[in-house]
């Protein structure tokens, strides 16, 4: 992230580094020998060094100098003594994550000239001085308000946009031009469908911006006809950079990309997204988990979602990733079945603003058929009966599937009908959205009385046991993949309509 900030010349970014040379394992020399300031100079940052964490004047001077540098980010190394002036614990790992203890607190108070027998003693003149901040803050805000009101008068359309974004609203007709694919038409990869629907709405949603960790051509994360974000000086033959550009180039920095998205969302009010292969979501996981913990709404575009990605082989083929991501509380994992379900769930993701959680959009590399019976309302609820109907009326078995495996469920449904077995297909693009629905809706889609169930997903079985129960069957993959084309891999690893039929019959026997 620091490397990218240097490339992007983010002159309003200031980082203060607490350089105390102590960690939990005490002196950092045992594990760290680099010259950190030299590293930041190499990144292109403006670097300053301050001796002493109590040297307030020098720190203020360094901050003023940093604010004066607007063509690159600033790094201020402050050499501190951790725990200063605790007489026996300062400058040790013992003060890194532990309380000082009563004796050390008392000794420290003596060093500072405080009464060791008094707690939370603050002199009146100190309180009076700090409360002057309220008046200073009001004065600064009043001055800012004058400037803001002048801007709002001069730029009424931009003020209108700002108001809409701060309210978490979308403009009227923003989704009117979403592409619709005719059922039965040529197969389309859901990653390609995403690229289409991204650009269907990008012109009406200027707040939408994002990019990829060096995989834009594969992830289809590029907004067409706009410039890239960054100073004009980093423009290349392929990309024109501009400070108002909407295409982000993260480079091969997946973890930094996830963290940068968090920062953009926390700053507000724009809506960022970023993409990579699903396999590489592991590199992003700490940032994704933190976004879920903070309940903010970045959008992750994770393509090449299964063994269906083909010849890149098992190093690139996700197996456990869907289950591992679903295990993160407050993360929505969305895996649409076909191009239209991609459009429907994309609409839902964008409608979930202000206080909604992060979303992982899981998309295929390989083409998938355009299915009959997909539903925008059902997709928005996370799960629905494909083609409609009420399974409680006459279902013998229910087949639950996500993503590219929904087509197998549809084929199996037809084969089972030839055997006079009534099967309903439930497309489940998002377990989290479905589980948030009222019980009445969930029971209508998955009637408790219909215990013969099959789940089909090209990942490990772990997320599906709770839905299929002890009489259900799961078509899954519990091992790593191989290097071959998608059709061969699905066939050899048991993802066929015939395998789904056999599983349905076993569930009925159960």
């Amino acid at each position: 992230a620091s490397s990218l900030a240097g490339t992007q010349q983010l002159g309003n970014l200031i980082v203060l580094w607490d350089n105390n040379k102590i960690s939990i394992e005490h002196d950092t020399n045992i594990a760290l020998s680099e010259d950190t300031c030299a590293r930041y100079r190499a990144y292109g940052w403006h670097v300053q060094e301050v001796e002493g964490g109590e040297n307030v004047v020098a720190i203020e001077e360094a901050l003023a100098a940093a604010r004066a540098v607007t063509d690159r980010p600033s790094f201020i190394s402050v050499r501190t003594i951790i725990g200063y002036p605790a007489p026996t614990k300062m400058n040790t790992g013992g003060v890194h994550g532990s309380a000082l203890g009563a004796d050390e607190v008392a000794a420290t108070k003596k060093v500072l000239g405080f009464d060791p027998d008094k707690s939370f003693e603050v002199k009146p003149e100190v309180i009076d001085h700090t409360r002057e901040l309220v008046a200073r803050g009001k004065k600064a805000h009043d001055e800012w308000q004058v400037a803001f009101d002048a801007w709002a008068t001069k730029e009424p359309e931009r003020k209108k946009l700002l108001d809409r974004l701060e309210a978490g609203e979308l403009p009227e007709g923003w989704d009117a031009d979403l592409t619709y694919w005719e059922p039965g038409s040529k197969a389309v990869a859901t990653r390609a469908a995403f690229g289409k629907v991204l650009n269907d709405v990008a012109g009406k949603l200027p707040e939408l911006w994002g990019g990829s960790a060096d995989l834009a051509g594969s992830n289809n994360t590029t907004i067409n006809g706009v410039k890239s974000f960054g100073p004009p000086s980093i423009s290349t033959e392929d990309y024109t950079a501009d400070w108002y550009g909407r295409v982000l180039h993260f480079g091969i920095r997946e973890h930094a990309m996830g963290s940068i998205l968090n920062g953009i969302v926390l700053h507000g009010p724009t809506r960022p997204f970023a993409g990579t292969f699903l396999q590489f979501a592991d590199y992003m996981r700490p940032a994704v988990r933190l976004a879920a913990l903070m309940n903010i709404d970045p959008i992750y575009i994770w393509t090449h979602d299964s063994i269906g990605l083909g010849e890149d082989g098992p190093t690139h083929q996700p197996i456990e990733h869907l289950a591992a991501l679903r295990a993160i509380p407050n993360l929505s994992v969305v895996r649409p079945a076909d191009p239209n379900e991609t459009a429907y769930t994309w609409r839902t993701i964008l409608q979930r603003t202000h206080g909604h959680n992060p979303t992982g959009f899981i998309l295929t590399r390989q083409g998938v058929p355009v299915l009959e019976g997909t539903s925008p309302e059902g997709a928005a609820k996370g799960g629905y009966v494909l083609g409609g109907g009420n399974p409680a009326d006459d279902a013998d078995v229910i087949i639950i599937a996500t993503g590219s495996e929904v087509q197998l469920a549809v084929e199996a449904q037809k084969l089972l009908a030839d055997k006079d077995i009534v099967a309903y297909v439930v497309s489940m693009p998002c377990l989290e959205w479905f589980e948030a629905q009222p019980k009445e809706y969930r029971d209508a889609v998955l009637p408790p009385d219909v215990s013969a169930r099959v789940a089909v997903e090209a990942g490990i079985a772990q997320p599906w046991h709770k839905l299929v129960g002890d009489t259900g069957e799961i078509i899954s993959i519990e091992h790593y993949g191989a290097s071959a084309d998608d059709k061969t891999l699905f066939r050899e690893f048991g993802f066929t309509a015939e395998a789904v039929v056999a599983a349905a019959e076993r569930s009925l026997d159960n």
Side-chain angles (χ1 to χ4, degrees):
S2 294
S3 171
L4 184 59
T7 298
Q8 293 181 335
Q9 301 172 26
L10 302 183
N12 60 348
L13 174 62
I14 301 173
V15 172
L16 288 98
W17 177 43
D18 180 7
N19 179 18
N20 60 48
K21 301 188 184 297
I22 294 293
S23 67
I24 291 174
E25 296 183 5
H26 305 283
D27 193 327
T28 58
N29 282 335
I30 196 67
L32 188 68
S33 59
E34 68 188 53
D35 185 339
T36 302
C37 289
R39 178 157 61 89
Y40 273 79
R41 289 188 181 96
Y43 289 152
W45 288 54
H46 169 245
V47 177
Q48 301 175 82
E49 299 179 56
V50 175
E51 283 294 326
E54 294 70 40
N55 193 349
V56 176
V57 172
I59 293 171
E60 288 185 335
E61 289 174 348
L63 286 168
R67 284 191 288 268
V69 176
T70 58
D71 62 348
R72 49 186 168 151
S74 288
F75 181 83
I76 303 172
S77 169
V78 184
R79 179 66 175 100
T80 63
I81 302 298
I82 190 170
Y84 179 85
T88 68
K89 290 191 175 182
M90 67 176 176
N91 207 33
T92 72
V95 77
H96 187 282
S98 303
L100 289 175
D103 292 343
E104 190 76 0
V105 168
T108 304
K109 287 180 178 179
K110 289 180 180 178
V111 173
L112 294 171
F114 296 160
D115 186 339
D117 296 323
K118 293 184 178 180
S119 297
F120 302 105
E121 181 186 21
V122 183
K123 293 181 179 180
E125 57 265 33
V126 174
I127 294 176
D128 292 342
H129 174 74
T130 55
R131 286 179 177 168
E132 290 174 5
L133 177 62
V134 176
R136 295 200 304 271
K138 184 180 185 307
K139 180 176 182 294
H141 184 271
D142 290 345
E143 292 172 355
W144 173 87
Q145 190 67 52
V146 171
F148 179 80
D149 291 344
W151 170 82
T153 301
K154 182 181 178 182
E155 302 282 359
E157 289 303 311
R158 291 183 177 180
K159 175 61 164 59
K160 184 179 177 181
L161 173 60
L162 178 63
D163 290 343
R164 174 174 72 77
L165 297 182
E166 291 189 331
E169 297 173 351
L170 294 164
E172 185 176 351
W174 70 274
D175 58 347
D177 298 322
L178 276 176
T179 298
Y180 175 77
W181 287 264
E182 285 296 329
S185 59
K186 182 181 177 181
V188 179
T190 55
R191 62 168 178 154
F194 165 72
K196 187 72 175 68
V197 296
L198 165 65
N199 281 283
D200 287 343
V201 301
K204 298 178 182 179
L205 302 178
E207 65 268 29
L208 193 63
W209 64 316
S212 168
D214 200 48
L215 290 169
S218 294
N219 301 144
N220 291 286
T221 49
T222 300
I223 298 175
N224 298 330
V226 300
K227 294 179 180 179
S228 297
F229 174 79
S233 61
I234 68 170
S235 298
T236 67
E237 291 183 6
D238 301 299
Y239 304 104
T240 301
D242 181 85
W243 286 120
Y244 293 93
R246 295 173 63 189
V247 176
L248 285 160
H249 302 272
F250 294 98
I252 307 172
R253 301 181 177 99
E254 290 87 354
H255 174 69
M257 178 173 71
S259 300
I260 290 165
L261 249 61
N262 289 350
I264 293 172
V265 172
L266 288 168
H267 179 278
T270 61
R271 197 77 192 274
F273 62 90
T276 187
F277 292 167
L278 179 56
Q279 168 69 25
F280 302 148
D282 282 350
Y283 298 135
M284 301 174 64
R285 191 178 183 88
V288 174
R289 185 178 185 274
L290 192 57
L293 188 154
M294 294 188 291
N295 200 39
I296 58 175
D297 60 0
I299 302 168
Y300 312 112
I301 310 301
W302 288 319
T303 71
H304 296 59
D305 68 344
S306 73
I307 56 171
L309 67 84
E311 290 83 354
D312 279 351
T315 57
H316 284 56
Q317 292 166 355
I319 299 295
E320 74 282 15
H321 294 71
L322 290 169
L325 289 167
R326 289 184 182 125
I328 298 176
N330 203 38
L331 172 67
S332 296
V333 178
V334 181
R335 189 172 185 244
D338 79 339
N340 285 324
E341 208 170 83
T342 302
Y344 302 153
T345 49
W346 177 235
R347 176 195 284 126
T348 302
I349 290 167
L350 293 177
Q351 288 172 332
R352 293 167 63 86
T353 61
H354 277 217
H356 282 96
N357 55 319
T359 302
F361 209 19
I362 315 294
L363 306 169
T364 68
R365 176 183 187 265
Q366 76 277 18
V368 293
V370 184
L371 301 172
E372 293 271 7
T374 54
S375 162
E377 296 80 15
K381 294 178 178 179
Y384 63 101
V385 178
L386 190 68
N390 185 2
D393 291 341
D394 58 350
D396 295 316
V397 62
I398 296 173
I399 306 171
I400 310 164
T402 79
S404 53
E405 291 74 71
V406 175
Q407 61 180 300
L408 302 178
V410 171
E411 293 172 25
Q413 180 185 42
K414 296 172 184 176
L415 295 175
L416 288 165
D418 293 339
K419 298 185 176 191
D420 294 324
I421 297 173
V422 178
Y424 280 76
V425 174
V426 170
S427 180
M428 190 73 72
C430 183
L431 266 171
E432 294 78 19
W433 295 352
F434 180 72
E435 290 175 342
Q437 300 307 312
K439 185 176 186 297
E440 293 76 17
Y441 178 79
R442 288 182 279 122
D443 286 349
V445 175
L446 297 175
D449 292 340
V450 184
S451 59
R453 299 179 182 183
V454 178
V456 192
E457 186 173 70
I460 66 172
Q462 187 175 3
W464 298 105
H465 293 287
K466 60 184 176 182
L467 290 189
V468 303
D470 57 3
T471 59
E473 295 283 331
I474 303 172
I475 304 293
S476 65
I477 181 168
E478 307 296 326
H479 53 78
Y480 297 115
S483 180
D485 65 89
D486 60 295
K487 291 181 175 58
T488 298
L489 290 170
F490 275 104
R491 182 182 68 248
E492 295 300 316
F493 291 143
F495 288 93
T496 64
E498 292 75 16
V500 178
V501 168
E505 292 175 329
R506 290 196 302 273
S507 186
L508 285 165
D509 291 340
N510 294 341

